[in-house]
Amino acid sequence: MNNTLLRTAPPLQVTQWFNTTGPLTLEALRGRVVVLEAFQMLCPGCVAYGLPQAERVHTQFPPDQVAVIGLHTVFEHHAAMTPVSLQAFLHEYRIHFPVAVDAPGGHGHAMPRTMRAYDMQGTPTLTLIDAGGIIRHQHFGRISDLELGAQIATLLAEANAPSQQEQHTDDAAGCPVDAARGDCVTASSDTP
Amino acid sequence: MNNTLLRTAPPLQVTQWFNTTGPLTLEALRGRVVVLEAFQMLCPGCVAYGLPQAERVHTQFPPDQVAVIGLHTVFEHHAAMTPVSLQAFLHEYRIHFPVAVDAPGGHGHAMPRTMRAYDMQGTPTLTLIDAGGIIRHQHFGRISDLELGAQIATLLAEANAPSQQEQHTDDAAGCPVDAARGDCVTASSDTP
Amino acid sequence: MNNTLLRTAPPLQVTQWFNTTGPLTLEALRGRVVVLEAFQMLCPGCVAYGLPQAERVHTQFPPDQVAVIGLHTVFEHHAAMTPVSLQAFLHEYRIHFPVAVDAPGGHGHAMPRTMRAYDMQGTPTLTLIDAGGIIRHQHFGRISDLELGAQIATLLAEANAPSQQEQHTDDAAGCPVDAARGDCVTASSDTP
Amino acid sequence: MNNTLLRTAPPLQVTQWFNTTGPLTLEALRGRVVVLEAFQMLCPGCVAYGLPQAERVHTQFPPDQVAVIGLHTVFEHHAAMTPVSLQAFLHEYRIHFPVAVDAPGGHGHAMPRTMRAYDMQGTPTLTLIDAGGIIRHQHFGRISDLELGAQIATLLAEANAPSQQEQHTDDAAGCPVDAARGDCVTASSDTP
């Protein structure tokens, strides 16, 4: 691990929020571990794995210790995944945690602004931000519940103890940004 | 079984086709067993069970004996499930069989025309039409692969033998049309 | 298909029966389709896929039309899979269809007698016998419920119509007899 | 939580070890978190959930920090689950972590000694022992990977920080000791 790689999580650049009474900011969430789940509503890996896992985290951990935030990072099929469609999607799939719509990239950028600021490679991407606002883990594709549970608990323990940091990146099934890597794929192996 | 309940499958009323070089008609498919999979792209039960099962049927049986047709029967969240969104959905979920967009109900009918003509109760609904064009089974919700495989094979055998008919209706998880029955639900039990 | 390959199912050579009031014979089951599920109680593929599928068949089809029979074909770890252990296994796993213990091979044969007479390659092996007592399909490893349901229904239809026969063999995950092929394996892909 | 409930994990009373070069003791494992997985080889919930989860823990965490130990706690069908059968079971199911055979209860006790000393209610039971040898969690039945990963990581963090203790007991599907609660059951709901 190289400490110089650690950086404060960039601010969320959001055009619309769902499942919340007002805009959220990472600054206001300092003191909690933040699980930022970047997804697209038509990404099969997000629907099958990423979002259900985020919902499990939302259920498992106390909200005053762990904040789960969905980030709709549309980087393809923009006309197909509008906020109107997203709203119906969140309703039908019963997603209850706050969800932000990432701000369009502008200037011909297909990738939206927050996604770019976080250097995400595709969807789903789960970013773990510690209580001090530092990005500690970023997983593109799937991460097992066992590993994710351990990482969250480690960050929670740190919040009450001298810091101990690591960096880790997984790369697995999902929708890659890089067109050369092809379409979204659903991971065939199951790691429950 | 009451033979008087059997009826010829009503014509498909369609505004747009995907995954086909031109419009299909049930009449032109006489001689084959037709599996008509009615779905909505934002119906969790359709995405998790109905469509993957239809794709398995599409793969398992010879196309000159069994024709699989998807029918996008939007009866709620109309603005969220447009043909533009559907096209991206079919691409991302890799659905390869022909899919028809059911014609809007008109005159304030939320339910589209073909769906209404078939008396469907919600999505997913799988309708089995025999080689003579008669509706033989209609399942709302989930049906096991074991039962479906048996029903298709029985209709295939009939096509080469004296007819033997039955009527059967299942009612299970999915998106019911009747608002009183609430939102779409995903069946929790798995019948592989 | 080569009709000369078709042969009458050899008699079951059995030392003990469970879940039945007396010995069964294939001759007495003429007129029904027979699903013969060969398994070992310590074969992971049998426990995960083969036996649950046989139980589903047992539940799905009327017993006067389809007879499901388990056959405990121990060809390895003989001391670990005695009838005493099998009895507890059947109880704990709630297997309700009749189960026969295949007769030991004798003369240094690790493979038991019925298993050898059927030329089985390992466990699980599902053998489909038609109403006339002819072996029609034999699957080593996994077979999808969709395909199995279709094959059973086709044989049921034949029982009431002029015969139409085919031969088919699948080879997939399980416990191979041939030591060169290594230990039992559990198929990683899921075909529900 | 009541600190007076916390107690040092009783010594393992074992007649035989598998997958290890010699007997293990909890005392020798001080400094590591210990995951003690009590199971019976013919307990469906153990085979389907408990043992695969223990194997995932064994794979996920460094062995010098987390020690996974299987404990074969036969309290029913004793003649069916002998060490000879267990050895074949461990081989076929590819269980690689150390497994101990719990010492028979003696004096008419169906329940073996270690199981009784730990007040276990049935199988599977997962006991989490902290680096100081104290029992911190005991789960009968299923526990989600997310929760288990968090509990292990919390104990690991504690090993390097001032202690913070809690007590928690889950009660779910499995093989209960108490005959009044009936046979072993396999949980129908899936918490991946």
Side-chain angles (χ1 to χ4, degrees), chain A residues 141-191:
Chain A
R142 299 188 69 178
I143 170 179
S144 76
D145 273 20
L146 197 62
E147 186 177 1
L148 178 59
Q151 291 183 346
I152 293 172
T154 301
L155 296 184
L156 285 173
E158 270 184 32
N160 302 314
S163 162
Q164 137 195 0
Q165 297 163 337
E166 54 175 308
Q167 184 78 9
H168 184 95
T169 302
D170 267 354
D171 195 329
C175 297
V177 167
D178 179 1
R181 294 186 53 192
D183 292 328
C184 310
V185 292
T186 304
S188 57
S189 70
D190 217 301
T191 310

Side-chain angles (χ1 to χ4, degrees), chain A:
Chain A
M1 189 208 68
N2 191 334
N3 274 325
T4 62
L5 290 178
L6 293 178
R7 59 170 177 148
T8 298
L12 304 177
Q13 302 181 60
V14 172
T15 56
Q16 195 170 346
W17 284 90
F18 294 99
N19 296 337
T20 177
T21 53
L24 301 182
T25 66
L26 294 180
E27 288 210 343
L29 295 170
R30 288 286 190 282
R32 305 189 212 178
V33 172
V34 175
V35 175
L36 183 65
E37 180 75 31
F39 72 101
Q40 295 180 102
M41 59 172 279
L42 293 184
C43 155
C46 302
V47 169
Y49 313 113
L51 290 168
Q53 184 178 56
E55 188 70 36
R56 287 195 296 276
V57 172
H58 182 59
T59 302
Q60 177 70 42
F61 293 93
D64 60 344
Q65 292 180 32
V66 178
V68 177
I69 297 179
L71 181 68
H72 197 228
T73 53
V74 181
F75 60 84
E76 58 186 347
H77 309 300
H78 291 81
M81 294 188 271
T82 62
V84 166
S85 291
L86 176 62
Q87 182 165 33
F89 172 85
L90 297 176
H91 177 77
E92 293 304 332
Y93 278 87
R94 309 196 171 179
I95 291 171
H96 300 109
F97 50 80
V99 172
V101 177
D102 198 358
H107 305 295
H109 283 293
M111 201 188 301
R113 291 179 190 272
T114 312
M115 189 184 192
R116 211 162 66 219
Y118 278 74
D119 293 325
M120 295 179 189
Q121 308 168 58
T123 54
T125 290
L126 189 154
T127 303
L128 270 178
I129 302 168
D130 68 21
I134 306 293
I135 295 178
R136 297 294 295 280
H137 301 281
Q138 191 162 302
H139 304 277
F140 170 46
R142 299 188 69 178
I143 170 179
S144 76
D145 273 20
L146 197 62
E147 186 177 1
L148 178 59
Q151 291 183 346
I152 293 172
T154 301
L155 296 184
L156 285 173
E158 270 184 32
N160 302 314
S163 162
Q164 137 195 0
Q165 297 163 337
E166 54 175 308
Q167 184 78 9
H168 184 95
T169 302
D170 267 354
D171 195 329
C175 297
V177 167
D178 179 1
R181 294 186 53 192
D183 292 328
C184 310
V185 292
T186 304
S188 57
S189 70
D190 217 301
T191 310

Side-chain angles (χ1 to χ4, degrees), chain C residues 166-188:
Chain C
E166 52 176 309
Q167 183 80 8
H168 184 95
T169 301
D170 268 352
D171 195 330
C175 297
V177 166
D178 179 359
R181 294 185 53 194
D183 293 328
C184 309
V185 291
T186 303
S188 58

Side-chain angles (χ1 to χ4, degrees), chain B residues 19-56:
Chain B
N19 296 337
T20 177
T21 54
L24 301 181
T25 67
L26 294 179
E27 289 210 342
L29 294 170
R30 288 285 191 281
R32 306 189 212 178
V33 173
V34 175
V35 175
L36 184 65
E37 180 75 31
F39 72 101
Q40 295 179 104
M41 59 172 279
L42 294 184
C43 155
C46 302
V47 169
Y49 313 115
L51 291 168
Q53 185 179 55
E55 187 71 38
R56 288 195 295 276

